[in-house]
Amino acid sequence: MYEFVSGPLALISFAIFFVGIIIRIVWYVKGLDWQLDRVAYSEKLGAGIKGAARSLFHWLLPLNRTTANHPVFMAVTYLFHICLVLTPIFLMAHVVLIEESWNISWVTLPDKVADYMTLAVIAAGIFFLIRRLTDPNVKILTTASDYIVLAIALAPFITGYIAYHQWELGAGYKFWLIIHILCGEIMLIAIPFTKLSHFVLSFCSRIQLGMDYGIKRGGTKGRGIAW
Amino acid sequence: MAQEAKNQDLPPLVTRKAVKTKKELDLLLGDKGARYYKEMEVFPVDTAALKKTLDATCKSRLRTWLEICAHCSLCADSCFFYLANDNDPKQIPSYKIKSTLGELVKRKGNVDTKFMINCMDTAWGKCTCCNRCGMYCPHGIDMGVMFGYLRGLCFSQGFVPHEMKIGSCMHWLYNAQMDVTVEDYVETCEWMAEENEEYYPGLEIPVDKVGADIMYVVNAREPKHYPQDLAEAAILFHLAGESWTVPSKGWEGTSLAMFAGDWACCKQQVEGVYAAMERLKVKRYVGTECGHQHRATITEGPYWAGRKSGEPPAPGLHYVEWVLEALETGKLKLDPAKKIKEPVTLQDPCNYVRNHGLTDVTRKIMSYIAEDFREMSPNREHNFCCGGGGGMNGIGRYREERNIGLKVKREQILATGAKFVVSACHNCWDAIRDLEEVYKIGIKWSFLKPILLEMVIVPDHLKPKEE
Ligand code: HEM
Ligand code: SF4
Ligand code: SF4
């Protein structure tokens, strides 16, 4: 079982993930239409790139009014995302696995740090969950899929934490390890097909809106979109 | 029974097609909306056509926005309707678009009449397309853009507010938002020039002067209801020594068709103005103190007209840009002693500020005319909609919603302590006037032209000769 989930199934999930997100990006870009969107994407590419860069810069860093207006939520979401993306990529155990298979490796996080980062993801996830259940503004927007997506995103971290600490929880290390790998694979596969596609589409959207402001909405007269 | 039979004989008011004849227009004008909305309640949705339109025009940008919305509610407090309605979750931009366009896309156009009426009531009654929310969404989701798109879908199905249907019809018939013909317009120009020539010798309103530096374009309300505005513009151009002209055909810069979502009409409207620019070979376009005139003709217009560059045939200026240039180059000189002494605040219109970046321009103008200028908060690109944008001022069905929405602007103005609001936009001007009417907070409001005219120094050679 372990061989199967960590071998062929892992390869398949990575393949679906990569091919999937590439297809989504290509589909996104091909669907842009200068006349329907009313943005001269290619004619004013220079202004567009400037606007896109500003848009990304102000949001990859917490330099926007939403962060100023909602500091707690935004701090949690930045932390959540940073830990969520970095932990699996730089986790020692993951890098070792990859080195064994493909003979490539990169820097790793100390286990202790990775452990805290995992906890941060889980804690942030619980914060999102509580907010969804209690805040009337979030409640009215929430659909079942929001919970499912949150669960898909958190599951690898929760199960990874259990496996790393070798908690038995009535099943044993091997079991939790397999479940952890499966959860990770489910997440990878879910990314192109669910709202988690925002992994890449959020960048697409930010770039598009940045171009819109840079090209048409004042980028050539004022500051473009101002944060 | 007899009444019903009679109604059935009348031609329908609600139609999927744009109304383009005088006869149909008169019918619409003859109804105050009662029969119109009643008919709408049973007007069927052409789901096949809706699906076709969605397939052809709802592309990756919009679909991605609908799909990736995190349902996080961070956009809630960016919308003035949410704030004005005591943080009603039903006013969250994301909720408003998800429950209308989102559902429509999900159901692939397979929706019923009631659904479409709700779409209409949301797209026009709960959103002014001010685009503020888009600046606050972490994914960069612009609900204002999506509501604009939804308006187009609603229009194509006949679910459009009465006044917006009339508005688009006016543009089809008169190339103007009101029933002002080219002859009416030219006559008004002549009349205004004559009327004021006595005080400003040599004053003219040159019509169709080929090769002028500036082509000045107005809002039909000016010739129709405020011809004095036209005279003021003429006097200021005259005093500044500008070479300018107004076109006969193509004189109107606004587009209610844009608010209505009648894209074909938007194209026709703006092409008329562009044709005038080309016919008169002018160097620049200057549009009057109207926000959506600028948005429709300069910012969005090039795309409707199929201009790949995204630019109109001649560079387009908003009136405030011309004013600042005239002040900075000394073409217009103001008497500093006449600066407004009392506290003054400034309304930033969404259409040329958030959506075209003209923020510093108006502030620099304020430094010439006001001694005690007070910023609203928030301001510039972050300013709230006046409360009457996107056609909202003109729609009777949403008067109540509009008046509630005005509360946000009321609080913003009150917080400045100023009792005088400068508004270089017709829509904002109207909203602020109505705000005073509804809430009586004791404010005055004004366009720039009358203020400038009060302060401008008339060069000696342009003064009337003493007899
Ligand atoms: C690195 C690129 C990513 C960017 C720029 C990004 C951006 C965002 C943004 C802007 C939000 C909305 C605000 C919020 O609710 O926090 C969000 C929410 C969320 N993201 Fe990401 N994200 C990225 C990657 C990911 C990945 C890889 C996952 C998981 C597989 C993920 C899972 C989530 C979840 C679950 C939420 C919703 C939180 C809630 O329930 O409110 N994100 N993301
Ligand atoms: S802020 Fe953006 S992602 Fe969050 S609910 Fe609003 S539209 Fe959706
Ligand atoms: S565009 Fe303006 S009015 Fe419409 S939902 Fe967004 S903030 Fe509200």
Side-chain angles (χ1 to χ4, degrees):
Chain A
M1 189 64 183
Y2 174 78
E3 280 66 38
F4 177 67
V5 290
S6 67
L9 203 56
L11 279 180
I12 291 171
S13 343
F14 272 108
I16 294 177
F17 166 72
F18 280 115
V19 174
I21 58 172
I22 289 169
I23 289 176
R24 298 235 49 176
I25 296 171
V26 171
W27 169 82
Y28 184 87
V29 175
K30 280 182 77 169
L32 294 178
D33 181 313
W34 71 272
Q35 201 167 7
L36 279 176
D37 302 350
R38 304 206 292 265
V39 182
Y41 296 114
S42 41
E43 288 271 327
K44 290 194 191 164
L45 195 60
I49 289 172
K50 245 175 83 188
R54 278 171 53 88
S55 174
L56 287 173
F57 177 76
H58 283 273
W59 285 90
L60 283 177
L61 300 175
L63 302 173
N64 48 72
R65 291 216 184 182
T66 303
T67 302
N69 294 346
H70 299 275
V72 175
F73 179 83
M74 289 303 279
V76 173
T77 197
Y78 275 111
L79 186 74
F80 172 79
H81 280 94
I82 291 168
C83 296
L84 181 132
V85 173
L86 297 186
T87 315
I89 298 177
F90 296 107
L91 187 81
M92 177 99 74
H94 289 178
V95 177
V96 168
L97 272 178
I98 287 170
E99 195 172 14
E100 280 170 5
S101 311
W102 293 311
N103 227 349
I104 42 168
S105 77
W106 49 81
V107 287
T108 57
L109 288 162
D111 271 6
K112 192 92 199 142
V113 176
D115 211 35
Y116 281 121
M117 287 170 76
T118 305
L119 280 179
V121 173
I122 298 168
I126 293 170
F127 171 83
F128 292 144
L129 180 67
I130 293 173
R131 203 168 157 268
R132 280 212 184 283
L133 291 167
T134 56
D135 184 330
N137 285 344
V138 192
K139 243 158 91 183
I140 196 173
L141 298 173
T142 299
T143 56
S145 77
D146 292 327
Y147 292 114
I148 297 170
V149 161
L150 187 59
I152 292 175
L154 290 184
F157 292 85
I158 298 171
T159 54
Y161 194 83
I162 295 171
Y164 173 74
H165 289 273
Q166 310 222 345
W167 293 351
E168 293 283 326
L169 298 182
Y173 171 70
K174 200 84 191 175
F175 172 82
W176 285 110
L177 185 64
I178 291 172
I179 295 293
H180 166 64
I181 298 171
L182 273 173
C183 286
E185 288 160 355
I186 290 173
M187 182 178 100
L188 284 175
I189 295 171
I191 287 177
F193 298 103
T194 64
K195 216 171 75 167
L196 291 175
S197 56
H198 79 262
F199 180 34
V200 285
L201 292 178
S202 182
F203 288 98
C204 293
S205 171
R206 280 245 71 86
I207 290 171
Q208 192 281 330
L209 194 71
M211 290 185 88
D212 184 336
Y213 271 88
I215 288 168
K216 179 175 75 169
R217 299 198 234 174
T220 53
K221 285 209 178 187
R223 298 179 280 181
I225 191 161
W227 311 107
Chain B
M1 191 61 209
Q3 184 62 34
E4 248 166 53
K6 209 171 127 211
N7 273 353
Q8 273 165 11
D9 296 339
L10 291 169
L13 294 176
V14 177
T15 52
R16 286 187 199 105
K17 284 212 189 72
V19 165
K20 300 183 185 177
T21 64
K22 182 86 174 65
K23 215 174 109 204
E24 290 168 296
L25 173 64
D26 287 341
L27 259 173
L28 275 170
L29 288 170
D31 175 59
K32 289 277 164 275
R35 174 157 88 89
Y36 181 82
Y37 290 119
K38 197 146 182 67
E39 251 179 48
M40 191 183 283
E41 277 167 26
V42 292
F43 190 71
V45 182
D46 182 349
T47 51
L50 196 50
K51 179 171 186 311
K52 226 174 117 198
T53 311
L54 280 173
D55 289 344
T57 60
C58 190
K59 300 285 200 66
S60 62
R61 177 177 68 152
L62 301 180
R63 286 181 192 270
T64 297
W65 278 343
L66 290 169
E67 182 184 344
I68 67 171
C69 168
H71 301 155
C72 67
S73 89
L74 288 174
C75 52
D77 54 9
S78 68
C79 179
F80 72 100
F81 278 118
Y82 171 83
L83 299 172
N85 287 282
D86 304 321
N87 301 353
D88 178 359
K90 289 216 158 74
Q91 290 283 359
I92 298 175
S94 169
Y95 176 78
K96 290 186 275 191
I97 202 69
K98 177 167 121 65
S99 57
T100 53
L101 183 63
E103 272 300 301
L104 196 63
V105 169
K106 210 188 263 167
R107 296 196 217 161
K108 300 189 165 64
N110 199 359
V111 296
D112 60 13
T113 301
K114 229 176 115 196
F115 183 93
M116 287 308 287
I117 292 179
N118 181 49
C119 284
M120 174 184 84
D121 288 340
T122 310
W124 280 276
K126 294 181 178 170
C127 179
T128 60
C129 296
C130 76
N131 297 91
R132 190 169 190 271
C133 45
M135 299 183 72
Y136 291 81
C137 167
H139 281 313
I141 300 175
D142 194 328
M143 268 75 49
V145 168
M146 287 199 272
F147 277 115
Y149 176 74
L150 179 61
R151 286 180 177 199
L153 294 181
C154 288
F155 186 91
S156 72
Q157 290 288 328
F159 295 90
V160 52
H162 187 233
E163 295 83 349
M164 294 292 109
K165 183 98 175 177
I166 293 172
S168 105
C169 178
M170 289 288 183
H171 282 285
W172 281 115
L173 276 173
Y174 299 99
N175 279 304
Q177 60 162 286
M178 290 174 177
D179 50 353
V180 180
T181 62
V182 169
E183 294 72 40
D184 296 338
Y185 181 65
V186 171
E187 254 171 50
T188 312
C189 290
E190 284 163 4
W191 168 43
M192 279 298 121
E194 270 167 36
E195 188 104 317
N196 290 281
E197 222 249 323
E198 187 185 337
Y199 314 103
Y200 300 94
L203 179 75
E204 353 161 48
I205 300 188
V207 179
D208 285 338
K209 192 167 107 189
V210 177
D213 288 345
I214 290 172
M215 177 172 108
Y216 180 62
V217 163
V218 302
N219 176 326
R221 287 159 44 113
E222 292 165 2
K224 179 109 179 165
H225 298 304
Y226 309 98
Q228 190 54 34
D229 192 286
L230 197 52
E232 289 161 357
I235 294 165
L236 289 166
F237 281 137
H238 173 68
L239 296 180
E242 289 287 11
S243 139
W244 72 294
T245 186
V246 295
S248 53
K249 262 183 97 131
W251 58 270
E252 156 78 296
T254 73
S255 181
L256 285 188
M258 173 171 78
F259 292 159
D262 183 354
W263 310 129
C265 184
C266 289
K267 178 174 157 70
Q268 174 198 277
Q269 172 61 33
V270 78
E271 281 177 346
V273 184
Y274 292 172
M277 289 181 186
E278 278 163 352
R279 187 177 78 238
L280 302 178
K281 301 185 177 60
V282 290
K283 290 208 184 80
R284 298 193 296 179
Y285 163 107
V286 174
T288 189
E289 290 178 76
C290 171
H292 93 277
Q293 161 272 127
H294 190 75
R295 181 96 179 257
T297 306
I298 303 307
T299 330
E300 312 285 2
Y303 298 96
W304 294 321
R307 301 179 64 86
K308 276 197 136 149
S309 64
E311 295 290 341
L317 273 66
H318 189 271
Y319 195 72
V320 296
E321 294 179 274
W322 177 78
V323 169
L324 181 64
E325 182 191 288
L327 290 173
E328 287 189 332
T329 55
K331 282 182 186 170
L332 281 182
K333 287 199 180 59
L334 305 184
D335 181 352
K338 291 192 179 155
K339 268 191 175 185
I340 306 167
K341 308 278 182 302
E342 66 171 306
V344 194
T345 187
L346 170 75
Q347 162 63 9
D348 283 310
C350 311
N351 280 330
Y352 64 82
V353 175
R354 178 154 38 255
N355 288 299
H356 212 185
L358 303 181
T359 49
D360 294 335
V361 176
T362 38
R363 281 164 181 79
K364 287 183 191 154
I365 296 174
M366 293 308 285
S367 74
Y368 283 88
I369 63 174
E371 275 183 4
D372 184 2
F373 167 54
R374 312 241 178 124
E375 287 279 10
M376 286 187 202
S377 168
N379 55 46
R380 299 176 184 247
E381 292 94 338
H382 293 274
N383 193 22
F384 286 112
C385 172
C386 59
M392 189 121 194
N393 272 335
I395 306 175
R397 186 175 168 96
Y398 309 125
R399 185 40 53 101
E400 191 52 37
E401 283 84 343
R402 202 283 309 261
N403 289 350
I404 293 171
L406 290 175
K407 286 197 285 189
V408 171
K409 192 52 62 187
R410 179 190 68 187
E411 296 313 310
Q412 269 190 295
I413 294 173
L414 285 173
T416 66
K419 295 282 177 205
F420 189 10
V421 188
V422 171
S423 156
C425 170
H426 274 275
N427 246 309
C428 301
W429 190 95
D430 278 5
I432 292 165
R433 178 199 56 202
D434 290 1
L435 189 164
E436 177 58 23
E437 200 177 293
V438 178
Y439 295 107
K440 307 211 171 16
I441 56 172
I443 49 169
K444 294 179 296 182
W445 57 95
S446 177
F447 287 114
L448 277 173
K449 292 183 199 103
I451 299 176
L452 293 168
L453 216 51
E454 280 284 306
M455 300 178 185
V456 72
I457 299 172
V458 180
D460 283 337
H461 69 282
L462 293 178
K463 283 187 181 146
K465 302 239 172 352
E466 314 259 335
E467 296 294 308

